[in-house]
Amino acid sequence: LPWQAALGCRAAQVLMQYCILANHYWFLVEAVYLYKLLIGAVFSEKNYYRLYLYLGWGTPVVFVVPWMAAKYLKENAEVGWARCAPALSPPPQINLLIFMRILKVILAKLRANQKGYADYKLRLAKATLTLIPLFGIHEVVFIFATDEQTTGILRYIKVFFTLFLNSFQGFLVAVLYCFANKEVKSEMKKKWQLWKLDH
C-alpha cells in the first residue's frame, strides 16, 4: 500500500537523521572527555557518565522531534521527507577548537619530556593523525565547500572523502584506539593463552 511505503520512508529518514546527529554529538562527547582527561581535571566519572549519555543520545532527540513535527504539519505531501534535514548538529568548529587545545596540551607534555623522547615531533604527528577520526575533524575540511558551491571534479572528491571517512570512521577509531592499544593487545593475548590452555 502507498501509505505504508510513505510511512516506512519517513521512519527511515527520521532514524537516519537521528543517527547522523547522534554521531556528531558523540564526537563532541569524545572531545570533551579527552580534554578533561588531558588537563587533569579532578572530577567523578559517575557524575559525568550520565551527562555524556544524555548529550550523545538525548540531544539529537531534542532536534529531530520538532523537525519531524514540522515536516508532518507543513510538508506532509512530500513522501520521504528527504529535503531540509535538521542541520542542528554541533558545529565542527567546536571540535576543532577542542582539538587545537588538546594538541597544545600534548605538545607541552611532549616538550616537557623531550629528554626521554627525542622523536617528540613524530609522536605529536601520530597523536594528531589519530585524533582526526576520533573528533570528526575531517568534516571541517569541506565545511566551506557546500554542495551548491562544488561542481565537477571537486564535487566528486568531496563526496568520495566524506562518504569514505564517514563510512569507515568507526572502524578507524576501533583500530587506532582498541586493536592497536598495547593494553588491549596484552589482554587479548592473555585471553587467547587461557583459551588455549582450557582447550
Side-chain angles (χ1 to χ4, degrees), residues 2-3 8 27-28 40 48 58-59 62 72 88 90 99 112 117 124 126 139 145 147 175 180 185-186 191 194 197-198:
W3 67 270
F27 287 157
L28 183 61
Y48 280 86
T59 310
V62 173
Y72 181 76
L88 296 164
F99 175 72
Y117 303 108
L124 178 65
K126 184 181 174 187
E139 297 197 7
D147 288 339
V175 168
K185 286 199 281 192
S186 69
K191 294 286 183 189
L194 286 172
L197 287 172
D198 287 345

Side-chain angles (χ1 to χ4, degrees), residues 136-193:
I137 300 300
H138 59 275
E139 297 197 7
V140 177
V141 174
F142 291 110
I143 198 166
F144 299 109
T146 61
D147 288 339
E148 294 80 21
Q149 294 173 331
T150 53
T151 55
I153 192 75
L154 181 61
R155 186 179 182 94
Y156 290 123
I157 291 170
K158 179 191 174 195
V159 168
F160 172 78
F161 277 106
T162 302
L163 290 176
F164 178 81
L165 291 169
N166 286 343
S167 299
F168 290 101
Q169 182 174 13
F171 175 74
L172 286 171
V173 169
V175 168
L176 293 171
Y177 290 94
C178 184
F179 303 122
N181 186 301
K182 290 177 185 175
E183 293 171 9
V184 172
K185 286 199 281 192
S186 69
E187 283 298 317
M188 287 175 73
K189 274 185 184 176
K190 286 179 193 173
K191 294 286 183 189
W192 175 250
Q193 288 169 351

Side-chain angles (χ1 to χ4, degrees), residues 32-45 48 52 105 109:
V32 169
Y33 178 75
L34 186 60
Y35 183 69
K36 283 188 166 290
L37 284 179
L38 279 174
I39 63 170
V42 178
F43 65 97
S44 168
E45 273 307 308
Y48 280 86
Y52 292 151
V105 171
K109 288 186 177 188

Side-chain angles (χ1 to χ4, degrees), residues 20-166:
I20 290 169
L21 284 174
N23 186 40
H24 285 94
Y25 277 98
W26 276 107
F27 287 157
L28 183 61
V29 169
E30 290 164 352
V32 169
Y33 178 75
L34 186 60
Y35 183 69
K36 283 188 166 290
L37 284 179
L38 279 174
I39 63 170
V42 178
F43 65 97
S44 168
E45 273 307 308
K46 289 180 181 176
N47 293 342
Y48 280 86
Y49 181 71
R50 190 167 281 174
L51 180 65
Y52 292 151
L53 286 177
Y54 290 145
L55 182 61
W57 294 119
T59 310
V61 174
V62 173
F63 296 117
V64 170
V65 169
W67 170 78
M68 185 176 64
K71 288 298 255 182
Y72 181 76
L73 294 172
K74 300 290 183 186
E75 299 179 28
N76 202 26
E78 201 176 313
V79 176
W81 291 358
R83 285 190 307 116
C84 300
L88 296 164
S89 59
Q93 294 93 323
I94 294 174
N95 278 1
L96 181 63
L97 289 173
I98 296 172
F99 175 72
M100 300 300 274
R101 295 289 307 250
I102 287 173
L103 287 183
K104 188 176 174 184
V105 171
I106 291 172
L107 180 61
K109 288 186 177 188
L110 287 174
R111 279 190 177 157
N113 298 328
Q114 191 171 337
K115 292 175 184 174
Y117 303 108
D119 60 340
Y120 83 95
K121 288 183 181 175
L122 182 67
R123 293 169 68 88
L124 178 65
K126 184 181 174 187
T128 304
L129 290 174
T130 55
L131 287 175
I132 287 172
L134 182 68
F135 287 2
I137 300 300
H138 59 275
E139 297 197 7
V140 177
V141 174
F142 291 110
I143 198 166
F144 299 109
T146 61
D147 288 339
E148 294 80 21
Q149 294 173 331
T150 53
T151 55
I153 192 75
L154 181 61
R155 186 179 182 94
Y156 290 123
I157 291 170
K158 179 191 174 195
V159 168
F160 172 78
F161 277 106
T162 302
L163 290 176
F164 178 81
L165 291 169
N166 286 343

